[in-house]
Amino acid sequence: MALSLQELSGAYANALEAFNTLSQLPDHNPKEKGGYLVILSMRSGIVEAILLIGECSAENASRYHRFALEKAMRLSEHRDHVSSWQSRNPEKEQYQGGVKFGDYVHAFSGLSEKKDEVIALMSIVGASHIKRRDARQIAEISDNIELLVQCLD
């Protein structure tokens, strides 16, 4: 069964809110203006949504889109992983920023790796695919809890 409009709307709203929160942090790079969020169904193996969060230049669009897709596909192949951090390999351009819970993978690319993961986590919370405590557990695996808490509170 495909994402409902309510799930999709919740995922987008939470991802955008997280992006806006992260953009206000003192260490934010002003060149980081947005990126792509991919939502993949584990049941069907189909990408059910690709969403632009924030703004993205034409020169970065294909790169961010490709990285978000790669994170989602890689995470779907690692059945025992819940974060793309667990299979991260920068030498192969495989980065953190994807999370999995239940039947869905949410992956984002466009900011730093840790921020990408927080946006994916907030998206999956917004879609009601995961509870906040489960998001915290995933963030603990990648030592990303501090950044996540700034968006949860």
Side-chain angles (χ1 to χ4, degrees):
M1 181 149 163
L3 283 168
S4 71
L5 185 55
Q6 183 176 0
E7 290 171 316
L8 190 57
S9 176
Y12 178 79
N14 263 28
L16 186 58
E17 184 178 334
F19 171 76
N20 289 333
T21 298
L22 296 170
S23 296
Q24 301 303 314
L25 297 178
D27 70 340
H28 181 70
N29 179 347
K31 293 180 181 178
E32 296 177 338
K33 297 184 184 287
Y36 281 97
L37 174 69
V38 169
I39 303 174
L40 173 90
S41 167
M42 290 291 294
R43 281 188 185 176
S44 66
I46 294 173
V47 172
E48 293 191 5
I50 301 173
L51 304 168
L52 176 63
I53 306 296
E55 300 173 7
C56 193
S57 68
E59 64 190 57
N60 288 330
S62 66
R63 184 169 159 247
Y64 295 158
H65 179 265
R66 181 172 36 95
F67 282 149
L69 274 172
E70 185 282 323
K71 293 171 188 181
M73 298 304 289
R74 174 168 37 98
L75 192 49
S76 73
E77 293 169 4
H78 291 276
R79 296 286 178 182
D80 57 332
H81 291 186
V82 293
S83 169
S84 61
W85 179 84
Q86 293 169 289
S87 59
R88 180 181 181 274
N89 185 345
E91 293 167 1
K92 293 183 176 181
E93 293 190 323
Q94 296 176 335
Y95 301 105
Q96 176 179 356
V99 296
K100 176 174 56 181
F101 196 85
D103 292 334
Y104 286 95
V105 174
H106 290 228
F108 182 81
S109 185
L111 307 178
S112 68
E113 289 182 81
K114 286 190 176 281
K115 289 179 180 179
D116 283 357
E117 182 179 76
V118 168
I119 290 174
L121 281 165
M122 291 307 296
S123 168
I124 206 167
V125 167
S128 301
H129 296 153
I130 188 174
K131 298 199 181 310
R132 289 173 181 250
R133 72 173 179 270
D134 298 317
R136 286 177 185 262
Q137 289 176 342
I138 292 172
E140 286 174 359
I141 291 169
S142 58
D143 194 28
N144 203 9
I145 193 73
E146 196 173 309
L147 205 52
L148 176 64
V149 167
Q150 295 185 49
C151 291
L152 284 173
D153 297 334

